[in-house]
């Protein structure tokens, strides 16, 4: 199969992409979070192609992308008032809501759950594709399962060249980490995955929020969890990743004294001078966590190289978008964290 690259500035792109979706094919779509691997979410055969292309476990459900908040009612039922309030505040945007599914949503999209995840993405071209296709687009992140997510069309081409019909090239993704997922079937709502809409923003609108344990800790593969995706090793380059926590100076002292040939250091821009001679790679500036979320997956993909032995990583602290960066980096490190403050 020849994978076509469809440029964002062509008037034909939206029509071509929508036609492929309608005919049961696979199209990678740009969003503000990461690139998604899209198919008609109501067509089980098309959805099966997503799982095959990604090598995605069958028990990991997909998010349905819709073009406006009103479409929620086509696929969800018993919608609480809070869903409309969240949609008004944050859609289009990086927020996914889990709601009871209507029977028109096939089991392969929901992985057999009674709920469905829906999101209206903040990318005009992608919303236009959904509208023209006339069906919701089921789309997980476009990476091969387990690998760091795709934030450019080139990342998608690297993983899927010759295996999918087309890639819509909308440039690099603005947020850079996947959407925030909130389960609205519980009261108070439960945060299943942090993302571009921060816990602080959600609490300001909802009043209260429970944080699922899968957000902050390693989950056993056999565990029954609310968001099945959270239990798998995720976002990881081929080698071991170790997070080194603590002050800038203590972390540098720890890393420099343990560093061996073949190791890399994933750090903040401000820290580059501390790691001279240790092959450092910056993924953004600590002073602006949004640059870290935008740069994280590109950096992790660059570090996905068999010649690298180990990656020592520096992780931002605090809330806001830094909370989502912590979550992705800790998962990439399989929660392997060393506190440099305790090292003497
Ligand atoms: P991805 O788009 O690859 O980031 O994966 C989608 C994420 O949404 C996975 O972590 C899924 O477990 C989660 N998800 C999708 N549908 C549901 C649902 N009905 N209930 C809970 N989590 C969901
Ligand atoms: Mg993913």
């Amino acid at each position: 199969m020849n994978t076509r690259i469809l440029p964002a500035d062509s008037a034909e792109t939206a029509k071509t992409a929508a036609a492929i979706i309608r005919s049961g094919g696979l199209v990678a779509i740009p969003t503000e979070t990461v690139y998604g691997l899209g198919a008609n979410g109501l067509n089980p055969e098309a959805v099966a192609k997503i799982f095959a292309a990604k090598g995605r476990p069958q028990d990991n459900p997909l998010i349905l992308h819709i073009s406006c908040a009103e479409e929620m009612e086509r696929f969800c039922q018993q919608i609480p008032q809070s869903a409309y309030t969240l949609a008004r505040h944050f859609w289009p945007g990086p927020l996914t809501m889990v709601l009871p599914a209507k029977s028109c949503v096939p089991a392969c999209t929901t992985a057999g759950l009674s709920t469905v995840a829906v999101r209206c993405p903040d990318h005009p071209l992608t919303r236009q594709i959904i509208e023209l296709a006339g069906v919701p687009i089921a789309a997980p992140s476009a990476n091969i399962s387990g690998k760091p997510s795709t934030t450019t069309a080139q990342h998608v081409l690297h993983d899927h060249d010759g295996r999918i019909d087309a890639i819509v090239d909308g440039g690099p993704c603005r947020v850079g980490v996947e959407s925030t997922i909130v389960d609205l079937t519980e009261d108070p709502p439960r945060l299943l995955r942090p993302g571009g809409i921060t816990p602080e923003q959600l609490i300001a609108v909802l009043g209260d929020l429970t944080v699922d344990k899968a957000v902050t800790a390693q989950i056993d593969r056999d565990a029954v969890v609310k968001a099945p995706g959270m239990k798998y090793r995720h976002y990881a380059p081929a080698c071991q990743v170790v997070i080194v926590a603590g002050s800038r100076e203590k972390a540098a002292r720890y890393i420099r004294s343990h560093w061996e040939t073949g190791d890399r250091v994933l750090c903040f821009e401000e820290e580059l001078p501390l790691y001279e001679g240790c092959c450092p790679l910056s993924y953004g500036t600590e002073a602006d966590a949004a640059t870290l979320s935008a740069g994280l997956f590109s950096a992790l993909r660059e570090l996905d190289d068999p010649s690298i032995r180990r990656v020592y990583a520096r992780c931002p602290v605090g809330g806001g978008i830094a909370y989502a960066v912590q979550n992705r980096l800790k998962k990439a490190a399989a929660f392997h964290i060393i506190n440099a403050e305790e090292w003497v």
Side-chain angles (χ1 to χ4, degrees), residues 62-321:
L62 306 176
I63 294 169
L64 274 189
H65 292 75
I66 56 181
S67 67
C68 61
E70 290 69 43
E71 283 189 2
M72 218 169 18
E73 291 167 5
R74 278 175 64 193
F75 313 112
C76 309
Q77 52 188 342
Q78 299 152 40
I79 302 172
Q81 203 49 47
S82 54
Y84 293 101
T85 311
L86 286 174
R88 213 173 43 248
H89 277 87
F90 302 119
W91 278 1
L95 177 70
T96 296
M97 300 190 226
V98 172
L99 292 161
K102 279 192 171 167
S103 59
C104 62
V105 184
C108 55
T109 296
T110 63
L113 298 173
S114 60
T115 53
V116 63
V118 288
R119 168 167 116 83
C120 179
D122 186 18
H123 198 292
L125 181 55
T126 287
R127 284 205 307 280
Q128 196 189 351
I129 295 169
I130 301 167
E131 231 176 87
L132 289 175
V135 292
I137 297 186
S141 53
N143 52 286
I144 297 286
S145 237
K147 289 294 176 188
S149 300
T150 39
T151 55
T152 66
Q154 290 68 38
H155 292 162
V156 184
L157 191 66
H158 174 273
D159 284 14
H160 294 293
D161 192 11
R163 294 147 46 94
I164 64 176
D165 297 285
I167 301 168
V168 177
D169 187 350
C173 300
R174 175 173 56 83
V175 178
V177 294
E178 303 86 340
S179 59
T180 303
I181 305 181
V182 181
D183 183 354
L184 293 178
T185 66
E186 289 187 33
D187 193 17
R190 180 182 290 263
L191 178 70
L192 300 182
R193 178 173 75 185
I197 301 299
T198 65
E200 295 86 342
Q201 285 176 294
L202 291 173
I203 289 167
V205 170
L206 293 170
D208 202 2
L209 184 73
T210 307
V211 176
D212 197 83
K213 61 181 184 306
V215 171
T216 50
Q218 176 87 297
I219 299 297
D220 197 78
R221 278 190 85 87
D222 301 323
V224 176
V225 289
K226 276 277 182 171
M230 299 302 273
K231 72 185 176 196
Y232 294 105
R233 184 167 190 238
H234 246 112
Y235 318 121
C239 68
Q240 186 191 38
V241 178
V242 179
I243 293 174
V244 182
S247 72
R248 209 167 261 180
E249 293 68 30
K250 293 240 170 78
R253 211 156 59 84
Y254 177 91
I255 292 171
R256 292 196 70 91
S257 58
H258 288 79
W259 189 90
E260 290 179 36
T261 305
D263 292 347
R264 297 287 305 265
V265 182
L266 178 64
C267 65
F268 313 127
E269 186 82 40
E270 295 92 329
E271 297 180 325
L272 284 172
L274 295 172
Y275 295 106
E276 223 168 277
C278 297
C279 302
L281 173 66
S282 146
Y283 64 110
T285 157
E286 189 180 17
D288 179 3
T291 64
L292 298 171
S293 82
L296 178 66
F297 284 130
S298 266
L300 287 175
R301 292 181 77 91
E302 187 173 332
L303 296 171
D304 186 20
D305 174 339
S307 71
I308 297 175
R309 198 185 74 106
R310 177 180 295 163
V311 172
Y312 291 107
R314 294 282 291 149
C315 186
V317 293
I321 187 69

Side-chain angles (χ1 to χ4, degrees), residues 24 26 39-41 43-56 58 62 106 108-109 138:
L26 291 184
N40 176 354
N43 174 345
E45 279 164 33
V47 169
K49 290 180 190 171
I50 297 177
F51 284 89
K54 278 183 60 93
R56 185 177 176 97
Q58 298 289 335
L62 306 176
C108 55
T109 296

